[in-house]
Amino acid sequence: MKKTLVRALKRFAAAGAVVLAAVSLQPPPASAAPAPIVGGTRAAQGEFPWMVRLSMGCGGSLLTPQIVLTAAHCVSGSGNNTSITATAGVVDLQSTSAIKVRSTKVLQAPGYNGSGKDWALIKLAQPINLPTLNIATTTAYNSGTFTVAGWGANREGGSQQRYLLKAQVPFVSDATCKQAYDELIPSEELCAGYTSGGVDTCQGDSGGPMFRRDANGAWIQVGIVSWGYGCARPNYPGVYTEVSTFASAIKSAAATL
Ligand code: ARG
């Protein structure tokens, strides 16, 4: 992929799923069946209790009861910000039992300029009494099979979902991922997906976590949904922020909020 094209696509994606739906990159084949995330299934209520939907159309995860970890490209900068609503505690965004809390502050990754460093923190007005998701602090879990979840599009140009969807995607090495994306930043980004495509995150999943089980069987976040060329295309894996690279920066930033 040409760097400039992918940059443009990333900016385009950040502009919002509504716009994207109207001017899809490329229509899916008529045979493409609507599938969750792309190629996933519905998550059970309570299965991923730390999943958060953000009102700008992104995902996120509870880093602490009062701080959501999301993508830098989902926010417009740092500072006081009461415009974002976080919805949590439900797989059904329309559920009357949804917990909805406003933001108070946003912290975008220092030095974020549209390539790499795709992480941000959102401070909530009140803590949410739900389990949090630990972040990986070493590279130990940056391989294997990952789980992704979100309310984003179920295909390129598809609509945002009412119910939380999940899927599993295998790790893709930096060397293989570089073949698809010459602009990949291997130290800051982690790739996942099938060579044959078919399963992937998509527009509106951004900011949400990619996670797996650690040695103790606990969920651990290894990635943040960041970008890709289209969704679920063969030979174009999803690209995720490599959480372990930024774990100490994320924790020290969280301590300032
Ligand atoms: N940038 C997209 C968003 O804002 C996420 C794209 C993920 N794409 C992919 N092929 N995995 O929601």
Side-chain angles (χ1 to χ4, degrees):
M1 282 294 290
K2 284 256 168 53
K3 195 169 206 154
T4 45
L5 175 56
V6 172
R7 285 261 172 78
L9 292 173
K10 282 165 75 177
R11 243 175 270 119
F12 185 56
V18 180
V19 181
L20 233 176
V23 247
S24 148
L25 301 176
Q26 187 179 295
S31 61
I37 275 225
V38 178
T41 56
R42 270 207 206 167
Q45 177 59 40
E47 190 175 4
F48 307 122
W50 22 256
M51 276 298 305
V52 172
R53 175 68 172 183
L54 297 169
S55 53
M56 83 292 274
C58 278
S61 52
L62 287 174
L63 177 71
T64 74
Q66 209 170 347
I67 297 177
V68 176
L69 176 60
T70 187
H73 82 262
C74 289
V75 301
S76 44
S78 299
N80 293 337
N81 185 325
T82 56
S83 73
I84 302 166
T85 300
T87 301
V90 288
V91 290
D92 176 5
L93 293 178
Q94 290 174 30
S95 168
T96 52
S97 42
I99 300 166
K100 292 183 188 250
V101 182
R102 284 275 186 170
S103 60
T104 56
K105 287 178 186 181
V106 172
L107 191 156
Q108 193 177 42
Y112 174 71
N113 66 1
S115 305
K117 301 181 179 51
D118 198 6
W119 65 269
L121 299 175
I122 295 175
K123 173 98 184 253
L124 303 175
Q126 295 91 31
I128 296 179
N129 186 19
L130 283 171
T132 57
L133 179 59
N134 284 329
I135 58 172
T137 56
T138 72
T139 57
Y141 299 111
N142 295 349
S143 63
T145 301
F146 306 123
T147 299
V148 286
W151 289 269
N154 57 356
R155 57 182 169 82
E156 279 187 44
S159 53
Q160 299 295 294
Q161 302 292 301
R162 170 174 173 177
Y163 296 96
L164 180 64
L165 302 170
K166 62 172 178 178
Q168 292 196 327
V169 279
F171 168 79
V172 171
S173 71
D174 288 334
T176 299
C177 198
K178 265 265 180 203
Q179 292 171 16
Y181 305 118
D182 56 15
E183 67 274 55
L184 185 79
I185 306 175
S187 59
E188 300 187 6
E189 296 173 320
L190 187 59
C191 304
Y194 293 93
T195 306
S196 54
V199 183
D200 197 4
T201 46
C202 199
Q203 269 56 45
D205 291 321
S206 276
M210 178 168 79
F211 46 96
R212 54 161 285 171
R213 299 282 187 180
D214 70 10
N216 299 318
W219 289 120
I220 189 160
Q221 181 170 357
V222 298
I224 300 169
V225 180
S226 184
W227 60 280
Y229 175 53
C231 304
R233 295 188 183 204
N235 298 116
Y236 287 101
V239 184
Y240 298 80
T241 307
E242 191 165 324
V243 166
S244 59
T245 298
F246 299 106
S248 53
I250 289 170
K251 287 185 183 201
S252 52
T256 70
L257 285 180

